[in-house]
Amino acid sequence: MENQSKAAWLEQIAEKIREYTRNNPGYSPRVLKENLMKEFFISAGEAEKLAIMAGRELNLSQLGLAALELNLTFNCNLTCSYCFIHQKSPQDRMTLATAQKAIDLLMERAAFPHVNITLFGGEPLLEFNLIKKIVPYALDAAKKHNIALTWAITTNGTLINEDILKFFSQYKINMLLSIDGGPETHDRYRRTRSGEGTWHKIAGLIPLIKAYQPWLGARMTVSTEAIDTMREDFNQLVGMGINQFIIAPAQGAASWSMEEIEQYGLNQLAILRDYLKLKQKGYPIFIEEFEKGENEYTGWGCRAGRTSLAVAPNGDVSPCSKLLGLTEEAGRYIVGNVNSEINVQLLEPFQNPISRRQPYCRKCSRPCTGGCYAVNFEQTGDHFAPSEENCLFWVVCQETKRASGMLRTGCVACVGRR
């Protein structure tokens, strides 16, 4: 009889949790905890455990997606040694059926009125014929689900032609161009299989690209060999008409030295000054990191595995594309395949990444977002254990934000000059 009473009591608690989460889309563990303590006279510790468990199960059952990364191929026509896709093969190509099932997954799991699909690789323009079939299918699926769909594509630019640009313009597919700076910097790594540099070809295409996409973004990857020319490379790309920048270090298994990271940070500050001067002159330019405040903390972890998933050419599903590029199976973190089934429970560590926060992170005076999951795994063997390199780059990022705020408010004396 006592066991039956306890079971009934536990069922009442479970029903209370279900009722609360059903009626409160803006789920609050704190409020649920207080309600459980008040109604069932349980301790604060027990109520907190139940609230956390409820939130975890709620997140996992919903898996509300906002974005999908479609890796159309792991093949590429270039041989960039710093690429995060470590094993490339012409056979790694997505079929239309796999792409359609991935898109169906996004639409069925969409938790937002607007979602995004990024076409990724490898070099996704190798599969332009597939793209032409994917886009109408996805737009039709979005319409049926009453969802607004936006597109993005990251490309090395070497395969761009006017037909591709017309198609992208028609369907509002925004290109992000991978270009690292001037010819010497860019061609150091971004070469064809025959060893030819690609800078002049891409530079020659930019006027045509901007005729169809006036606002053009670029990912400027900085290798350790390119630290000293960062500022020069940035200004050269500005002169070519690039409007928006993602400037990021080439990170992987090989670590940067403390001195290299420090030099990177100093050059980032120099670029920041140039950026602010360009904005003052009215040049159309945007770098997100320079516009954020240093206290703009988004919490532990990124959107990977929480509101975004990546799909490999064969349909394998992982939290993000950078993980898919790793060679070790544990690093790739495959949670299923769109052609069979997905084990949503395996995403729990990414749904609740703060629970994996390392003891040394809890004591840190500079709360960060935990670093890149892929770089963490390559350097520490654990997706959720930030490497020293990731920590130092976070400090550089925060100091740049602080300097940006000071410069924008006129406190030039507060920021050291080179």
Side-chain angles (χ1 to χ4, degrees):
M1 186 70 179
E2 184 179 343
N3 287 338
Q4 289 179 346
S5 298
K6 187 174 182 179
W9 180 70
L10 290 172
E11 178 54 36
Q12 288 177 2
I13 294 177
E15 179 55 36
K16 177 67 178 181
I17 292 172
R18 284 193 291 268
E19 178 188 358
Y20 177 82
T21 55
R22 185 168 57 246
N23 296 331
N24 295 273
Y27 170 73
S28 168
R30 179 185 59 79
V31 174
L32 177 57
K33 169 188 167 183
E34 292 171 356
N35 287 350
L36 292 175
M37 290 172 61
K38 182 178 179 180
E39 188 164 338
F40 297 98
F41 304 103
I42 56 179
S43 68
E46 288 300 314
E48 184 172 5
K49 286 180 184 178
L50 288 169
I52 291 172
M53 288 173 61
R56 193 175 300 170
E57 290 302 313
L58 181 67
N59 287 337
L60 289 173
S61 64
Q62 289 180 345
L63 182 62
L65 292 179
L68 188 71
E69 297 172 353
L70 278 183
N71 288 265
L72 305 182
T73 178
F74 283 155
N75 190 24
C76 189
N77 58 332
L78 301 188
T79 57
C80 314
S81 60
Y82 59 54
C83 181
F84 63 80
I85 303 294
H86 296 325
Q87 295 177 330
K88 299 183 178 68
S89 168
Q91 284 70 48
D92 286 324
R93 303 175 60 196
M94 185 174 283
T95 65
L96 177 60
T98 295
Q100 289 172 336
K101 288 179 181 177
I103 291 164
D104 292 343
L105 170 68
L106 173 63
M107 298 305 163
E108 291 164 5
R109 293 282 189 167
F112 302 86
H114 296 81
V115 297
N116 176 265
I117 295 177
T118 298
L119 304 173
F120 223 45
E123 174 46 53
L125 289 185
L126 287 169
E127 301 298 328
F128 181 56
N129 287 333
L130 177 60
I131 291 172
K132 288 190 289 186
K133 298 173 183 175
I134 287 173
V135 172
Y137 179 87
L139 289 171
D140 185 55
K143 186 177 180 180
K144 289 177 181 175
H145 286 81
N146 197 29
I147 294 170
L149 174 60
T150 57
W151 297 89
I153 184 169
T154 299
T155 173
N156 62 39
T158 58
L159 300 176
I160 289 172
N161 57 44
E162 196 153 8
D163 287 341
I164 289 173
L165 292 172
K166 286 179 181 177
F167 182 86
F168 286 176
S169 177
Q170 178 185 353
Y171 289 102
K172 297 181 174 59
I173 300 174
N174 290 316
M175 283 189 299
L176 180 70
L177 201 60
S178 294
I179 182 168
D180 295 344
E184 183 179 351
T185 298
H186 182 85
D187 288 345
R188 182 181 288 115
Y189 286 105
R190 307 190 71 79
R191 295 176 171 270
T192 65
R193 294 184 182 279
S194 61
E196 296 176 2
T198 57
W199 186 88
H200 284 93
K201 181 172 185 177
I202 298 168
L205 284 168
I206 286 180
L208 177 63
I209 295 171
K210 284 181 70 70
Y212 286 90
Q213 184 181 315
W215 184 274
L216 182 59
R219 178 180 176 86
M220 178 178 146
T221 301
V222 182
S223 64
T224 52
E225 295 89 343
I227 302 171
D228 291 337
T229 60
M230 275 176 66
R231 185 180 188 182
E232 178 186 336
D233 288 324
F234 165 75
N235 282 295
Q236 184 146 3
L237 292 180
V238 170
M240 293 164 63
I242 301 299
N243 305 101
Q244 189 163 341
F245 288 80
I246 297 174
I247 302 173
Q251 288 183 270
S255 297
W256 289 52
S257 69
M258 181 83 76
E259 293 74 21
E260 288 169 338
I261 295 174
E262 181 181 9
Q263 191 61 36
Y264 176 94
L266 290 171
N267 279 296
Q268 191 82 317
L269 288 175
I271 291 173
L272 167 63
R273 291 192 194 92
D274 293 341
Y275 170 79
L276 293 175
K277 288 177 183 176
L278 286 164
K279 292 202 74 173
Q280 287 172 356
K281 293 176 181 177
Y283 184 84
I285 190 169
F286 180 78
I287 299 178
E288 185 176 9
E289 290 302 315
F290 292 171
E291 300 293 338
K292 289 182 176 178
E294 62 177 312
N295 297 318
E296 207 169 301
Y297 180 59
T298 57
W300 192 265
C302 66
R303 71 177 189 173
R306 298 168 83 174
T307 60
S308 177
L309 293 176
V311 181
N314 69 350
D316 283 347
V317 178
S318 175
C320 88
S321 292
K322 287 197 74 171
L323 294 182
L324 285 175
L326 301 180
T327 51
E328 289 188 46
E329 195 62 31
R332 287 165 54 80
Y333 207 90
I334 305 301
V335 299
N337 190 289
V338 296
N339 294 301
S340 51
E341 62 180 358
I342 299 169
N343 185 349
V344 177
Q345 296 294 323
L346 293 176
L347 291 170
E348 192 276 334
F350 295 86
Q351 292 277 339
N352 187 33
I354 198 167
S355 66
R356 268 73 180 174
R357 187 166 55 166
Q358 304 299 307
Y360 57 84
C361 293
R362 297 191 186 100
K363 301 174 184 177
C364 183
S365 61
R366 287 181 177 267
C368 73
T369 55
C372 169
Y373 293 137
V375 175
N376 285 348
F377 186 86
E378 284 193 289
Q379 296 186 356
T380 70
D382 185 337
H383 297 99
F384 305 97
S387 65
E388 182 182 19
E389 179 180 302
N390 263 338
C391 293
L392 291 172
F393 274 119
W394 173 257
V395 172
V396 167
C397 178
Q398 291 300 93
E399 287 301 308
T400 303
K401 290 177 183 176
R402 183 177 67 85
S404 178
M406 290 177 175
L407 287 170
R408 280 183 290 173
T409 56
C411 187
V412 179
C414 302
V415 184
R417 293 182 175 277
R418 290 188 64 189

